[in-house]
Amino acid sequence: MTTVTNLPHWDMSVIYPSLASPEFQAGFAHVTQDISDLAQLFDACHVEKQEHLATDDETIKHFESVLQRYNEVLAENKTLNTYISCFVTTNTLDTLAQARMSELQQASVVLAQLGTRFTAWIGSLDVETLIARSHSARTHTFMLHKAKTQAAHLMPPAEENLASELNLSSGTAWEKLHGDMTSQLVVTLDVAGERKELPMSMVRNLAYESDRETRRRAYEAELAGWQKVAVPLAAAMNSIKSEVNTLSRRRGWQSPLDASLLDNNIDRQTLDAMMSAAREAFPDFRRYLHAKASALGLSQLAWYDLFAPVGGEDRVWTFNEARAFIVEQFGAYSQRLSDFAARAFREQWIDAEPRAGKVDGAYCTWLRRDESRVFANFKAAFGGVSTLAHELGHAYHNLNLAHRTVLQRSTPMTLAETASIFCETIISHAALGRASQQEQIAILEESLQGACQVVVDITSRFLFEQRVFERRKARELSVDELNNLMLEAQRETYGDGLDENALHPYMWAMKPHYYDSERSFYNYPYMFGLLFGLGLYARYTREPETFKQGYDALLSSTGLADAATLAGQFGIDIRAVDFWRSSFDILRQDIAKFEELTK
């Protein structure tokens, strides 16, 4: 196991000196007071569902006043929320951070209720007249049209308020339980002949080791670890899915998926086109898995071989080497992108060290204005470099959204992956261009491994979630039933690409996305993001200068239009299967090259 030391922690002192500081206490009190004052403004302006509400001068004046203040309070709350959550996710054992987060969640219930009132109020307005008569409304046109649709799916105000209050002790509480249990889960494992107690995140990182016996033992230890906490995690899963089912039905949605599609600014036709193209590509990904098995000297891959290294990449990438490579290669696209990445490293936006109590995975979160924070568990291989580039792409997206209001910059997950996939592709192609044959195999493997996860594994997770929602309407599901549903979905998607007797029945327990009560189907948007990003990269390679003229503008507009409209600006029809097939063609070329190089 490669150990990486001296990895950076992010700097949060630019907001407050610490969670225990007087400055933080004052800032926290200021935000909660602003939420209270906003509620009074809503009351004074009668921001709520109304019958026969005239769009007269007084209403327009109220709208503009409320819109401005609502955006300001949302931004303040976001910065405070991000500040606290950065302490929670890097150390879930930090009881002070957990307490402050709980306090903020209590205060944010009021803000969530105000959001529901705002949506209901928009539903009462003549939106077209409002847009025609108010400049502020015109700059928020898409948000207004979307809110009008959402308003038609609201329960009566008293019921929406009750749902918001109860969520803290239901969906949010179960989500918190999952995060706390999984981040603090310790697994017993023999490492180099020594029996050790390791955090689950470190055990899962052993899946990237070259020694198959190490991977197998880590996999078995991981499954045993999940088995120990499966009962409470199944309770969390059952409770969250039941809550979402109930609220979806009461709000008039045919299914939670329909609500998710609106949230992600796409329609069922787009989703069906993408998923159809994905199913067509499964045989190609199975070819990749067979080629990888052959390269490893195996007749068939087991689950614990999915992330095994292939090729001659013996190189250990230090964090500083990753930093230099990313800054340099981003500069091949534009100086603005390169300078931005250099700033993120210089100003300590990145927390890269895996450690006890730190949540697994990687993410980027907007902090304030043009600043973000990047969370990673860096591993000293090209995959670690690729992950940093991916998350910095999210941060670059946030940079381009910096001049937008919070309501204008509300980017759905489908489009949130646009810049991250683009930046990740820049790095992968740059690395391929200067690599030896054996290094090319390793880099292609890294790229295809990720694509396989985003297409094949994401589809299995999507099918699993669909089936859990459907079965949860009747009753709770046991641990064994959840395991069997997950295995069924994995067999259906991976096919003969993996040994069906060595799959991962507890993937439902590991993935935090299933435990977000306010965002269901946190899976297919990743596939959309990958394929849309690849499609845009293909356009860039064909017409680089023309592409650059519109790319940053596209990133700054991801909250201003639906995905089909934005894609249309680049001549892309996302409702047609052919577009998605063309993105898969890029992956098929990589698969063919991987097969050729590994023969």
Side-chain angles (χ1 to χ4, degrees), residues 75-318:
E76 294 170 4
N77 186 73
K78 170 61 180 173
T79 298
L80 183 61
N81 185 287
T82 298
Y83 178 80
I84 299 173
S85 68
C86 282
F87 288 93
V88 172
T89 56
T90 51
N91 183 12
T92 58
L93 301 171
D94 187 336
T95 55
L96 177 60
Q98 294 278 18
R100 296 294 87 84
M101 179 57 75
S102 179
E103 291 170 5
L104 182 61
Q105 287 171 341
Q106 294 281 353
S108 297
V109 168
V110 176
L111 191 58
Q113 292 172 339
L114 293 179
T116 302
R117 284 177 60 180
F118 182 78
T119 299
W121 188 47
I122 298 304
S124 305
L125 293 169
D126 180 344
V127 167
E128 298 308 325
T129 299
L130 183 65
I131 291 170
R133 297 189 57 190
S134 167
H135 173 73
S136 295
R138 280 194 296 279
T139 62
H140 290 76
T141 294
F142 179 70
M143 179 276 292
L144 290 172
H145 285 148
K146 187 172 180 177
K148 189 79 173 178
T149 301
Q150 291 171 323
H153 290 279
L154 289 177
M155 298 182 292
E159 293 181 21
E160 287 289 352
N161 286 342
L162 179 61
S164 294
E165 291 181 25
L166 289 177
N167 180 259
L168 274 183
S169 55
S170 53
T172 298
W174 288 114
E175 181 182 357
K176 181 176 181 296
L177 173 70
H178 178 272
D180 289 349
M181 291 197 74
T182 56
S183 64
Q184 297 173 28
L185 184 58
V186 174
V187 176
T188 302
L189 181 67
D190 287 330
V191 179
E194 182 182 352
R195 197 155 184 81
K196 292 186 176 182
E197 299 285 324
L198 298 176
M200 179 61 84
S201 59
M202 293 184 69
V203 173
R204 284 183 52 76
N205 268 349
L206 293 175
Y208 297 88
E209 289 294 302
S210 58
D211 179 62
R212 194 178 197 222
E213 181 61 17
T214 299
R215 298 197 304 270
R216 184 191 63 78
R217 285 190 284 104
Y219 160 80
E220 291 174 352
E222 180 192 347
L223 294 188
W226 292 124
Q227 186 177 23
K228 287 192 295 186
V229 294
V231 171
L233 295 185
M237 173 76 76
N238 275 294
S239 299
I240 288 172
K241 297 313 178 190
S242 179
E243 178 183 344
V244 173
N245 265 339
T246 300
L247 291 175
S248 295
R249 175 172 50 81
R250 294 295 295 269
R251 287 170 175 152
W253 292 107
Q254 186 175 349
S255 73
L257 178 58
D258 291 296
S260 170
L261 291 172
L262 179 67
D263 287 343
N264 281 290
N265 295 352
I266 66 171
D267 53 25
R268 186 65 73 104
Q269 184 179 353
T270 298
L271 178 65
D272 289 346
M274 181 182 73
M275 297 303 284
S276 294
R279 283 190 292 272
E280 290 177 3
F282 285 169
D284 299 292
F285 282 101
R286 290 166 191 163
R287 280 173 38 222
Y288 151 68
L289 294 171
H290 292 316
K292 177 167 182 173
S294 179
L296 291 171
L298 304 172
S299 59
Q300 191 177 36
L301 296 180
W303 186 275
Y304 51 84
D305 299 315
L306 274 171
F307 306 109
V310 175
E313 196 207 16
D314 295 325
R315 175 178 178 180
V316 173
W317 285 80
T318 67

Side-chain angles (χ1 to χ4, degrees), residues 4 7 315-324 378-381 385 388:
V4 186
L7 292 173
R315 175 178 178 180
V316 173
W317 285 80
T318 67
F319 186 83
N320 286 336
E321 288 170 334
R323 168 181 180 161
F378 184 77
K379 61 180 186 293
V385 185
L388 283 178

Side-chain angles (χ1 to χ4, degrees), residues 3 73 123 158 235 251 254 298 358 368 432 439 487 496 558:
T3 302
V73 175
R251 287 170 175 152
Q254 186 175 349
L298 304 172
K358 185 176 180 181
R368 62 176 180 178
L432 277 171
E439 288 171 335
L487 290 173
D496 65 1
T558 49

